[in-house]
Amino acid sequence: MPAGPPIPGADSPRVHDSTTIQHASPFPERLAIVGGGYIGLEFAGMFAGFGSEVTVIDPGERILPREDDDIAAGVTEHLEAAGVTFLMGSAVSAIEDTGDAALVRTEDGHAVEAEAVLLAVGRSATTAGLGLGRAGVEVDERGFVRVDDTLRTSAEHIFAVGDINGGPQFTYVSLDDHRIVAGQLTGDGTRRRSDRAAVPNTMFLTPPLSRVGINEQQARAEGRGVLVAAKPVAQIAAMPRPKILGNPTGMIKFVADPDTRELLGATVWCVDSQEVINLLALAMRAHVTVDALRDGIWTHPSSTEALNEVLGELRPLTV
């Protein structure tokens, strides 16, 4: 379930989570979003598109700290152009209901007035009060159920699938959880969580931002000698589809192994990225080389055509 941080005033009817904000009535002309992660940014882009004046409040130095600097900067600029205001380096201290609006106060003295407030600061477990300990089921310090590689809990005949086991909070990961448990109960029992490789994810901005594997920031942190290619979508001549649709926003980046020539990761921020990333994830799992992807014959016009051009520009990462 959405996490409810201990902020004074967070129980106001003007304060919402990611479920209730979808039914906010009347529609908020001003929306304050506490949290600049995936959920917060998706709703920021959505409500700005609907016409709300959106302010995102986050204690971090910048949004998307796990993404490369150029990607984070590009997304920030894109959302600001759409009407989103960012208040970074600010932690919320209290929310006051003034009658006509909510006043979101921060520890560094800012005050943001809005008709609605969205708390988007992550998710929490819902195991409190279930008496799992009486059944021999252990939970971790956050309340999520502890499981092994086959999703079996500390109680031998009980499994935990989905968000409650503390894994990645994605619907499609829950689907794979089902495969693992089904294999334990009725199959050969060989499938494991540790078998998962190159699991992609998408943040549904407009256009969507998708990731699989490592990015340039991670490669640098690990001191890895890799090949990198990056190009703004608007400059990719071999990729006409975003321009046809009138949305050439974004950037595509690849990280590859210089020896095996296999793809190590990709960041795809463009029209259709939620589809393109699945092809790249499959290529990683199947050990397809970047040369095969670069020389592939793709339908036209499609966003996949970007592979022909961008993968031809791989260069060693300079530290």
Side-chain angles (χ1 to χ4, degrees), residues 208-248:
L209 170 64
S210 302
R211 268 279 307 281
V212 67
I214 68 171
N215 58 13
E216 179 182 341
Q217 177 175 273
Q218 289 170 294
R220 288 184 181 279
E222 296 171 9
R224 301 181 66 162
V226 297
L227 302 175
V228 175
K231 200 164 192 177
V233 168
Q235 297 177 19
I236 304 176
M239 184 190 183
R241 178 166 167 77
K243 301 180 183 71
I244 293 170
L245 297 178
N247 191 2

mmCIF file of all heavy atoms in Angstrom, residues 208-248:
data_model
loop_
_atom_site.group_PDB
_atom_site.id
_atom_site.type_symbol
_atom_site.label_atom_id
_atom_site.label_comp_id
_atom_site.label_asym_id
_atom_site.label_seq_id
_atom_site.Cartn_x
_atom_site.Cartn_y
_atom_site.Cartn_z
ATOM 1 N N PRO A 208 7.435 8.039 -22.365
ATOM 2 C CA PRO A 208 7.873 7.209 -21.244
ATOM 3 C C PRO A 208 9.385 7.043 -21.182
ATOM 4 O O PRO A 208 10.081 7.102 -22.192
ATOM 5 C CB PRO A 208 7.180 5.872 -21.507
ATOM 6 C CG PRO A 208 6.877 5.862 -22.965
ATOM 7 C CD PRO A 208 6.645 7.282 -23.352
ATOM 8 N N LEU A 209 9.861 6.835 -19.943
ATOM 9 C CA LEU A 209 11.281 6.613 -19.682
ATOM 10 C C LEU A 209 11.464 5.176 -19.223
ATOM 11 O O LEU A 209 10.898 4.774 -18.205
ATOM 12 C CB LEU A 209 11.775 7.583 -18.607
ATOM 13 C CG LEU A 209 13.178 7.339 -18.030
ATOM 14 C CD1 LEU A 209 14.241 7.504 -19.107
ATOM 15 C CD2 LEU A 209 13.449 8.295 -16.866
ATOM 16 N N SER A 210 12.253 4.387 -19.968
ATOM 17 C CA SER A 210 12.419 2.964 -19.670
ATOM 18 C C SER A 210 13.881 2.637 -19.434
ATOM 19 O O SER A 210 14.773 3.236 -20.028
ATOM 20 C CB SER A 210 11.873 2.119 -20.822
ATOM 21 O OG SER A 210 10.502 2.391 -21.067
ATOM 22 N N ARG A 211 14.115 1.642 -18.554
ATOM 23 C CA ARG A 211 15.471 1.243 -18.202
ATOM 24 C C ARG A 211 15.585 -0.265 -18.121
ATOM 25 O O ARG A 211 14.655 -0.952 -17.721
ATOM 26 C CB ARG A 211 15.843 1.814 -16.839
ATOM 27 C CG ARG A 211 16.536 3.149 -16.826
ATOM 28 C CD ARG A 211 18.028 3.065 -17.105
ATOM 29 N NE ARG A 211 18.709 2.120 -16.243
ATOM 30 C CZ ARG A 211 19.063 2.361 -14.986
ATOM 31 N NH1 ARG A 211 18.790 3.514 -14.426
ATOM 32 N NH2 ARG A 211 19.695 1.433 -14.282
ATOM 33 N N VAL A 212 16.767 -0.786 -18.456
ATOM 34 C CA VAL A 212 17.115 -2.176 -18.187
ATOM 35 C C VAL A 212 18.620 -2.239 -17.975
ATOM 36 O O VAL A 212 19.374 -1.498 -18.610
ATOM 37 C CB VAL A 212 16.662 -3.114 -19.330
ATOM 38 C CG1 VAL A 212 17.436 -2.847 -20.616
ATOM 39 C CG2 VAL A 212 16.787 -4.577 -18.918
ATOM 40 N N GLY A 213 19.069 -3.086 -17.059
ATOM 41 C CA GLY A 213 20.507 -3.229 -16.827
ATOM 42 C C GLY A 213 21.128 -2.000 -16.182
ATOM 43 O O GLY A 213 20.460 -1.209 -15.516
ATOM 44 N N ILE A 214 22.425 -1.834 -16.395
ATOM 45 C CA ILE A 214 23.143 -0.726 -15.771
ATOM 46 C C ILE A 214 23.142 0.502 -16.682
ATOM 47 O O ILE A 214 22.915 0.400 -17.894
ATOM 48 C CB ILE A 214 24.596 -1.113 -15.414
ATOM 49 C CG1 ILE A 214 25.435 -1.331 -16.699
ATOM 50 C CG2 ILE A 214 24.639 -2.347 -14.541
ATOM 51 C CD1 ILE A 214 26.927 -1.497 -16.420
ATOM 52 N N ASN A 215 23.410 1.660 -16.098
ATOM 53 C CA ASN A 215 23.549 2.878 -16.881
ATOM 54 C C ASN A 215 24.976 3.404 -16.748
ATOM 55 O O ASN A 215 25.836 2.800 -16.094
ATOM 56 C CB ASN A 215 22.519 3.930 -16.468
ATOM 57 C CG ASN A 215 22.601 4.294 -14.993
ATOM 58 O OD1 ASN A 215 23.563 3.955 -14.305
ATOM 59 N ND2 ASN A 215 21.603 5.004 -14.506
ATOM 60 N N GLU A 216 25.249 4.542 -17.344
ATOM 61 C CA GLU A 216 26.595 5.113 -17.314
ATOM 62 C C GLU A 216 27.029 5.428 -15.893
ATOM 63 O O GLU A 216 28.177 5.186 -15.501
ATOM 64 C CB GLU A 216 26.648 6.379 -18.172
ATOM 65 C CG GLU A 216 27.996 7.052 -18.184
ATOM 66 C CD GLU A 216 28.013 8.341 -19.005
ATOM 67 O OE1 GLU A 216 27.111 8.528 -19.850
ATOM 68 O OE2 GLU A 216 28.927 9.159 -18.791
ATOM 69 N N GLN A 217 26.108 5.963 -15.081
ATOM 70 C CA GLN A 217 26.424 6.312 -13.696
ATOM 71 C C GLN A 217 26.892 5.091 -12.919
ATOM 72 O O GLN A 217 27.875 5.148 -12.160
ATOM 73 C CB GLN A 217 25.168 6.916 -13.048
ATOM 74 C CG GLN A 217 25.295 7.261 -11.583
ATOM 75 C CD GLN A 217 24.054 7.967 -11.052
ATOM 76 O OE1 GLN A 217 23.931 9.187 -11.126
ATOM 77 N NE2 GLN A 217 23.114 7.205 -10.526
ATOM 78 N N GLN A 218 26.212 3.963 -13.092
ATOM 79 C CA GLN A 218 26.596 2.736 -12.394
ATOM 80 C C GLN A 218 27.929 2.198 -12.903
ATOM 81 O O GLN A 218 28.756 1.714 -12.127
ATOM 82 C CB GLN A 218 25.505 1.683 -12.562
ATOM 83 C CG GLN A 218 24.237 1.999 -11.790
ATOM 84 C CD GLN A 218 23.105 1.064 -12.167
ATOM 85 O OE1 GLN A 218 22.612 1.073 -13.287
ATOM 86 N NE2 GLN A 218 22.686 0.243 -11.224
ATOM 87 N N ALA A 219 28.135 2.277 -14.214
ATOM 88 C CA ALA A 219 29.395 1.804 -14.792
ATOM 89 C C ALA A 219 30.566 2.597 -14.226
ATOM 90 O O ALA A 219 31.621 2.035 -13.893
ATOM 91 C CB ALA A 219 29.353 1.921 -16.312
ATOM 92 N N ARG A 220 30.401 3.903 -14.096
ATOM 93 C CA ARG A 220 31.466 4.739 -13.526
ATOM 94 C C ARG A 220 31.707 4.388 -12.061
ATOM 95 O O ARG A 220 32.864 4.291 -11.618
ATOM 96 C CB ARG A 220 31.081 6.221 -13.646
ATOM 97 C CG ARG A 220 31.143 6.772 -15.065
ATOM 98 C CD ARG A 220 30.843 8.263 -15.081
ATOM 99 N NE ARG A 220 30.874 8.814 -16.420
ATOM 100 C CZ ARG A 220 31.984 9.167 -17.059
ATOM 101 N NH1 ARG A 220 33.161 9.042 -16.456
ATOM 102 N NH2 ARG A 220 31.931 9.667 -18.280
ATOM 103 N N ALA A 221 30.630 4.207 -11.304
ATOM 104 C CA ALA A 221 30.766 3.898 -9.880
ATOM 105 C C ALA A 221 31.484 2.572 -9.668
ATOM 106 O O ALA A 221 32.219 2.392 -8.688
ATOM 107 C CB ALA A 221 29.386 3.868 -9.228
ATOM 108 N N GLU A 222 31.279 1.632 -10.591
ATOM 109 C CA GLU A 222 31.907 0.320 -10.481
ATOM 110 C C GLU A 222 33.284 0.278 -11.132
ATOM 111 O O GLU A 222 33.972 -0.740 -11.051
ATOM 112 C CB GLU A 222 30.999 -0.729 -11.125
ATOM 113 C CG GLU A 222 29.662 -0.897 -10.420
ATOM 114 C CD GLU A 222 28.707 -1.784 -11.199
ATOM 115 O OE1 GLU A 222 29.150 -2.405 -12.197
ATOM 116 O OE2 GLU A 222 27.521 -1.857 -10.817
ATOM 117 N N GLY A 223 33.686 1.377 -11.777
ATOM 118 C CA GLY A 223 34.979 1.436 -12.451
ATOM 119 C C GLY A 223 35.088 0.485 -13.625
ATOM 120 O O GLY A 223 36.167 -0.020 -13.936
ATOM 121 N N ARG A 224 33.970 0.248 -14.287
ATOM 122 C CA ARG A 224 33.952 -0.715 -15.378
ATOM 123 C C ARG A 224 34.382 -0.070 -16.693
ATOM 124 O O ARG A 224 33.996 1.056 -17.016
ATOM 125 C CB ARG A 224 32.561 -1.321 -15.552
ATOM 126 C CG ARG A 224 32.056 -2.031 -14.318
ATOM 127 C CD ARG A 224 30.695 -2.654 -14.514
ATOM 128 N NE ARG A 224 30.714 -3.735 -15.492
ATOM 129 C CZ ARG A 224 29.761 -4.658 -15.599
ATOM 130 N NH1 ARG A 224 28.730 -4.628 -14.775
ATOM 131 N NH2 ARG A 224 29.827 -5.603 -16.500
ATOM 132 N N GLY A 225 35.176 -0.803 -17.448
ATOM 133 C CA GLY A 225 35.533 -0.359 -18.785
ATOM 134 C C GLY A 225 34.445 -0.772 -19.755
ATOM 135 O O GLY A 225 34.306 -1.960 -20.078
ATOM 136 N N VAL A 226 33.635 0.158 -20.192
ATOM 137 C CA VAL A 226 32.489 -0.164 -21.033
ATOM 138 C C VAL A 226 32.448 0.751 -22.260
ATOM 139 O O VAL A 226 33.179 1.749 -22.347
ATOM 140 C CB VAL A 226 31.160 -0.014 -20.257
ATOM 141 C CG1 VAL A 226 31.091 -0.993 -19.099
ATOM 142 C CG2 VAL A 226 30.979 1.420 -19.754
ATOM 143 N N LEU A 227 31.580 0.381 -23.181
ATOM 144 C CA LEU A 227 31.281 1.222 -24.328
ATOM 145 C C LEU A 227 29.962 1.935 -24.056
ATOM 146 O O LEU A 227 29.035 1.342 -23.510
ATOM 147 C CB LEU A 227 31.159 0.378 -25.605
ATOM 148 C CG LEU A 227 32.373 -0.466 -25.991
ATOM 149 C CD1 LEU A 227 32.045 -1.331 -27.207
ATOM 150 C CD2 LEU A 227 33.575 0.425 -26.273
ATOM 151 N N VAL A 228 29.892 3.201 -24.441
ATOM 152 C CA VAL A 228 28.691 3.996 -24.203
ATOM 153 C C VAL A 228 28.313 4.747 -25.470
ATOM 154 O O VAL A 228 29.184 5.238 -26.200
ATOM 155 C CB VAL A 228 28.903 5.005 -23.049
ATOM 156 C CG1 VAL A 228 27.682 5.906 -22.888
ATOM 157 C CG2 VAL A 228 29.174 4.279 -21.746
ATOM 158 N N ALA A 229 27.032 4.837 -25.718
ATOM 159 C CA ALA A 229 26.513 5.665 -26.806
ATOM 160 C C ALA A 229 25.281 6.387 -26.292
ATOM 161 O O ALA A 229 24.463 5.802 -25.579
ATOM 162 C CB ALA A 229 26.164 4.820 -28.025
ATOM 163 N N ALA A 230 25.148 7.656 -26.624
ATOM 164 C CA ALA A 230 23.996 8.445 -26.188
ATOM 165 C C ALA A 230 23.655 9.463 -27.269
ATOM 166 O O ALA A 230 24.553 10.055 -27.875
ATOM 167 C CB ALA A 230 24.295 9.160 -24.872
ATOM 168 N N LYS A 231 22.349 9.656 -27.483
ATOM 169 C CA LYS A 231 21.942 10.624 -28.501
ATOM 170 C C LYS A 231 20.534 11.126 -28.219
ATOM 171 O O LYS A 231 19.627 10.340 -27.905
ATOM 172 C CB LYS A 231 21.984 9.978 -29.890
ATOM 173 C CG LYS A 231 22.056 10.969 -31.033
ATOM 174 C CD LYS A 231 22.496 10.281 -32.316
ATOM 175 C CE LYS A 231 22.839 11.304 -33.380
ATOM 176 N NZ LYS A 231 23.331 10.653 -34.617
ATOM 177 N N PRO A 232 20.338 12.457 -28.306
ATOM 178 C CA PRO A 232 18.977 12.994 -28.169
ATOM 179 C C PRO A 232 18.091 12.475 -29.296
ATOM 180 O O PRO A 232 18.525 12.352 -30.444
ATOM 181 C CB PRO A 232 19.187 14.511 -28.288
ATOM 182 C CG PRO A 232 20.623 14.726 -27.935
ATOM 183 C CD PRO A 232 21.344 13.520 -28.449
ATOM 184 N N VAL A 233 16.865 12.159 -28.977
ATOM 185 C CA VAL A 233 15.939 11.604 -29.962
ATOM 186 C C VAL A 233 15.771 12.531 -31.160
ATOM 187 O O VAL A 233 15.697 12.080 -32.313
ATOM 188 C CB VAL A 233 14.580 11.321 -29.290
ATOM 189 C CG1 VAL A 233 13.504 11.016 -30.318
ATOM 190 C CG2 VAL A 233 14.717 10.170 -28.306
ATOM 191 N N ALA A 234 15.724 13.826 -30.898
ATOM 192 C CA ALA A 234 15.522 14.790 -31.992
ATOM 193 C C ALA A 234 16.644 14.757 -33.016
ATOM 194 O O ALA A 234 16.469 15.206 -34.156
ATOM 195 C CB ALA A 234 15.380 16.198 -31.414
ATOM 196 N N GLN A 235 17.809 14.208 -32.634
ATOM 197 C CA GLN A 235 18.951 14.167 -33.548
ATOM 198 C C GLN A 235 19.142 12.806 -34.217
ATOM 199 O O GLN A 235 20.096 12.621 -34.979
ATOM 200 C CB GLN A 235 20.222 14.542 -32.789
ATOM 201 C CG GLN A 235 20.223 15.953 -32.229
ATOM 202 C CD GLN A 235 21.475 16.247 -31.418
ATOM 203 O OE1 GLN A 235 22.489 15.567 -31.526
ATOM 204 N NE2 GLN A 235 21.399 17.287 -30.590
ATOM 205 N N ILE A 236 18.253 11.855 -33.954
ATOM 206 C CA ILE A 236 18.396 10.521 -34.536
ATOM 207 C C ILE A 236 17.656 10.485 -35.872
ATOM 208 O O ILE A 236 16.432 10.321 -35.931
ATOM 209 C CB ILE A 236 17.857 9.435 -33.586
ATOM 210 C CG1 ILE A 236 18.550 9.533 -32.221
ATOM 211 C CG2 ILE A 236 18.067 8.040 -34.188
ATOM 212 C CD1 ILE A 236 18.012 8.560 -31.179
ATOM 213 N N ALA A 237 18.414 10.638 -36.935
ATOM 214 C CA ALA A 237 17.813 10.717 -38.271
ATOM 215 C C ALA A 237 17.106 9.427 -38.671
ATOM 216 O O ALA A 237 16.108 9.450 -39.401
ATOM 217 C CB ALA A 237 18.886 11.060 -39.295
ATOM 218 N N ALA A 238 17.619 8.295 -38.211
ATOM 219 C CA ALA A 238 17.057 7.000 -38.599
ATOM 220 C C ALA A 238 15.824 6.624 -37.783
ATOM 221 O O ALA A 238 15.323 5.507 -37.898
ATOM 222 C CB ALA A 238 18.119 5.912 -38.445
ATOM 223 N N MET A 239 15.344 7.548 -36.962
ATOM 224 C CA MET A 239 14.201 7.255 -36.081
ATOM 225 C C MET A 239 13.108 8.310 -36.284
ATOM 226 O O MET A 239 12.931 9.229 -35.484
ATOM 227 C CB MET A 239 14.680 7.272 -34.621
ATOM 228 C CG MET A 239 13.638 6.895 -33.578
ATOM 229 S SD MET A 239 14.331 7.259 -31.924
ATOM 230 C CE MET A 239 13.029 6.669 -30.861
ATOM 231 N N PRO A 240 12.343 8.211 -37.347
ATOM 232 C CA PRO A 240 11.369 9.265 -37.652
ATOM 233 C C PRO A 240 10.065 9.211 -36.860
ATOM 234 O O PRO A 240 9.341 10.204 -36.802
ATOM 235 C CB PRO A 240 11.090 9.048 -39.145
ATOM 236 C CG PRO A 240 11.294 7.579 -39.339
ATOM 237 C CD PRO A 240 12.426 7.199 -38.417
ATOM 238 N N ARG A 241 9.747 8.070 -36.248
ATOM 239 C CA ARG A 241 8.426 7.936 -35.635
ATOM 240 C C ARG A 241 8.114 9.011 -34.587
ATOM 241 O O ARG A 241 7.019 9.593 -34.615
ATOM 242 C CB ARG A 241 8.252 6.536 -35.028
ATOM 243 C CG ARG A 241 6.910 6.352 -34.339
ATOM 244 C CD ARG A 241 6.609 4.896 -34.045
ATOM 245 N NE ARG A 241 5.484 4.758 -33.135
ATOM 246 C CZ ARG A 241 4.209 4.888 -33.469
ATOM 247 N NH1 ARG A 241 3.892 5.173 -34.732
ATOM 248 N NH2 ARG A 241 3.258 4.745 -32.587
ATOM 249 N N PRO A 242 9.014 9.334 -33.653
ATOM 250 C CA PRO A 242 8.674 10.395 -32.689
ATOM 251 C C PRO A 242 8.367 11.733 -33.369
ATOM 252 O O PRO A 242 7.482 12.467 -32.911
ATOM 253 C CB PRO A 242 9.935 10.481 -31.815
ATOM 254 C CG PRO A 242 10.529 9.117 -31.894
ATOM 255 C CD PRO A 242 10.299 8.698 -33.311
ATOM 256 N N LYS A 243 9.081 12.030 -34.436
ATOM 257 C CA LYS A 243 8.822 13.292 -35.141
ATOM 258 C C LYS A 243 7.462 13.252 -35.836
ATOM 259 O O LYS A 243 6.730 14.241 -35.858
ATOM 260 C CB LYS A 243 9.937 13.552 -36.152
ATOM 261 C CG LYS A 243 11.332 13.642 -35.549
ATOM 262 C CD LYS A 243 12.387 13.904 -36.630
ATOM 263 C CE LYS A 243 13.787 13.933 -36.039
ATOM 264 N NZ LYS A 243 14.246 12.589 -35.610
ATOM 265 N N ILE A 244 7.124 12.090 -36.391
ATOM 266 C CA ILE A 244 5.820 11.936 -37.039
ATOM 267 C C ILE A 244 4.691 12.176 -36.039
ATOM 268 O O ILE A 244 3.670 12.793 -36.357
ATOM 269 C CB ILE A 244 5.700 10.527 -37.657
ATOM 270 C CG1 ILE A 244 6.674 10.365 -38.827
ATOM 271 C CG2 ILE A 244 4.270 10.257 -38.125
ATOM 272 C CD1 ILE A 244 6.800 8.945 -39.330
ATOM 273 N N LEU A 245 4.896 11.687 -34.812
ATOM 274 C CA LEU A 245 3.890 11.840 -33.766
ATOM 275 C C LEU A 245 3.958 13.197 -33.073
ATOM 276 O O LEU A 245 3.173 13.483 -32.178
ATOM 277 C CB LEU A 245 4.046 10.728 -32.733
ATOM 278 C CG LEU A 245 3.810 9.304 -33.252
ATOM 279 C CD1 LEU A 245 4.034 8.289 -32.147
ATOM 280 C CD2 LEU A 245 2.402 9.157 -33.819
ATOM 281 N N GLY A 246 4.906 14.021 -33.481
ATOM 282 C CA GLY A 246 5.019 15.360 -32.922
ATOM 283 C C GLY A 246 5.611 15.406 -31.536
ATOM 284 O O GLY A 246 5.379 16.370 -30.788
ATOM 285 N N ASN A 247 6.384 14.397 -31.157
ATOM 286 C CA ASN A 247 6.981 14.372 -29.818
ATOM 287 C C ASN A 247 8.408 13.811 -29.876
ATOM 288 O O ASN A 247 8.665 12.690 -29.431
ATOM 289 C CB ASN A 247 6.128 13.541 -28.866
ATOM 290 C CG ASN A 247 6.563 13.707 -27.421
ATOM 291 O OD1 ASN A 247 7.475 14.468 -27.110
ATOM 292 N ND2 ASN A 247 5.906 12.981 -26.527
ATOM 293 N N PRO A 248 9.364 14.590 -30.400
ATOM 294 C CA PRO A 248 10.751 14.112 -30.494
ATOM 295 C C PRO A 248 11.562 14.343 -29.223
ATOM 296 O O PRO A 248 12.784 14.443 -29.256
ATOM 297 C CB PRO A 248 11.293 14.940 -31.656
ATOM 298 C CG PRO A 248 10.567 16.239 -31.546
ATOM 299 C CD PRO A 248 9.186 15.901 -31.066
#
